[in-house]
Amino acid sequence: SLDNMPGQAAFTTNFLILKHHFNGLLKQSGQRVLHVDSKNYYGGNWASFSFSGLLSWIKENQQKTDTDECEDWKKLILETEEVISLSKKDKTIQHVEDFCFGDQDSAEDVEEAGALPKLPVFGAPGAEGVAQESEKECPPVESALPEAESQEPDKATGTEPASATAGHDAEITSENESSPSTALGKPTLELGKTEAAPSEISAQEPKKITYSQIVREGRRFNIDLVSKLLYSRGLLIDLLIKSNVSRYAEFKNATRILAFREGKVEQVPCSRADVFNSRQLTMVEKRMLMKFLTFCLDYEQHPDEYQDYENSTFAQFLRTRKLTPSLQHFILHSIAMVSETDCSTLEGLQATKKFLQCLGRYGNTPFLFPLYGQGEIPQCFCRMCAVFGGIYCLRHSVQCLVVDKESGRCKAIVDHFGQRISANYFIVEDSYLSESVCTKVCYRQISRAVLITDQSLLNTDSEQQVSILTVPPVDPGKPAVCVIELCSSTMTCMKDTYLVHLTCPSTKTAREDLEPVVQKLFNLNPEKEAVNEELEKPRVLWAVYFNMRDSSGVEKSSYDGLPSNVYVCSGPDSALGNDCAVKQAETIFQEMFPAEEFCPAPPNPEDIIYDEDEIVPEESGFSNSPETKPESATEESSSGDSAAVKKEDNEE
């Protein structure tokens, strides 16, 4: 167990995809890992919230209150040391604006179904104020470690986050009874069924959803701060399988690729079957499209067909291929999903090939979506980490990094309680760094919007569709907007509603960037007193806009004065997939431990034998008391006979 091994790493980041790699790998290297997070929920900007939790998050980011700090910590700093102060405020979220398109006053006295008034087990200052939010997103160390004993986190007690427990059990049962699963070697990625559950199939007229209903059913929502899909042959899928984290998650196919052309939303044929069954393409267009897609699959073998256009954009190259305007639009915006003005021919061909290679592995599109939202992915890594003794401290901010003047290396951190925690390696998420460290860094921004709507962008026989739509820019130089629409069977929204995520690189505030697209696709009139065209559009019930910092792609040398043993990881990037996060994790790990294999398959917990002869508490890499000897992992391992015998012998 990590908890009982001599250690070398304090893990002070909320970048949870990174965390499991280090926990699993450092375990095999004989390291201990500590995760310290100033927030009261897992995931940072990768998190997902219930509706009430998101309202609390909105209020928190609109107010931007200062955090309390202990003034006595400076006494812990020696004359031979200096400090690098960390940021007291999270400045990664800006321009937060939320809008209700219904009667908000009617929901004043409405209580969220299933919410608890408080969670006294947290025992932290201010815990009551965030009780409802914490119930879903904030499992502390006390609730994380017991998961390792049962190794069935989805069946844990009420102290777990709601995304793992409350409201899940009944829904999982009904979903799993009719949901096929697909085996990926030994681990499995369980794919939720595309069609609606029997209870959701109804021939009734669409119901008018009120704001009070949304508040009452708030725990049915799992609203992601960052909107992404998983490529079926992407790096994250491979990592989930290799690390066995896939056992903690279920996935649903993205069922439709949509296009917005000439003011209308239409479905794009992707696979060979879709192409030949399509009624919107002529026979000539079908042959053109199949010929071009076949070329893209092995374009490297035919350089003579594209090398003259390597300095051209992909859009210009498509015009030379004798494709009709509709086919060019489908390929550029819905298959390659690249910029019309900035993407080169080679980049476009690579993107098209990646799309095609991912088709058919788990369904008719290249994409998967995790049930209960993208925020489930970091929580799944948390569960795996807890099994192997990972230590988490939420609501636990860090004052500073302590640096040795002579060696220039970071020796310790000082937390907000005034405790000094020593370590050999430190991984810090970018948002924790102060402005003085980031003076040379030029950040990009991501514009985000989340909408709750009453019907789908494209109504079909099945209401349960997961759709992705790319809306091309109206003005030259503007970015395209990626729209992901989620149905209730993804467990991210209540019945008879849809959750819509809009994302693009920022040019202005999120509302300025995305509201024109929202107005094109949706009806913002709450009473539906509009012309017939507006009546056909989905009605927006509630919306939030915000800008999120994109710190991906920043070189470590851009940060001023960071010691060599301090590593920086970024928050989410604007790409649709998760490849950037996985590559960053591998890069940092290899810099720290070049002789170790990155993310080998972990052993089964029941196969681990804990040998206390190998435990040397005095050599622990981080501790505020040299006599501290953690025993939780030993107790957790008592289910194994050999471990239990060793424990009894030592006690005697």
Side-chain angles (χ1 to χ4, degrees), residues 571-583:
D573 63 315
S574 60
L576 179 63
N578 296 273
D579 285 3
C580 179
V582 178
K583 288 177 181 177

Side-chain angles (χ1 to χ4, degrees), residues 14-33:
N14 62 2
F15 188 18
L16 298 182
I17 292 180
L18 275 171
K19 175 175 51 181
H20 167 70
H21 305 341
F22 285 88
N23 275 332
L25 292 168
L26 294 178
K27 173 191 70 63
Q28 298 184 22
S29 303
Q31 317 300 323
R32 287 180 65 195
V33 179

Side-chain angles (χ1 to χ4, degrees), residues 265-279:
V265 177
E266 52 188 342
Q267 188 165 348
V268 176
C270 301
S271 66
R272 184 184 298 271
D274 286 344
V275 170
F276 286 109
N277 291 330
S278 174
R279 295 180 180 179

Side-chain angles (χ1 to χ4, degrees), residues 360-374:
R361 189 179 189 187
Y362 300 118
N364 217 26
T365 73
F367 304 110
L368 296 175
F369 182 80
L371 295 187
Y372 308 105
Q374 176 73 23

Side-chain angles (χ1 to χ4, degrees), residues 177-201:
E177 285 175 354
S178 59
S179 296
S181 60
T182 301
L184 306 176
K186 292 185 179 179
T188 60
L189 291 175
E190 299 182 18
L191 303 182
K193 194 172 183 179
T194 299
E195 292 77 22
S199 61
E200 294 182 301
I201 298 175

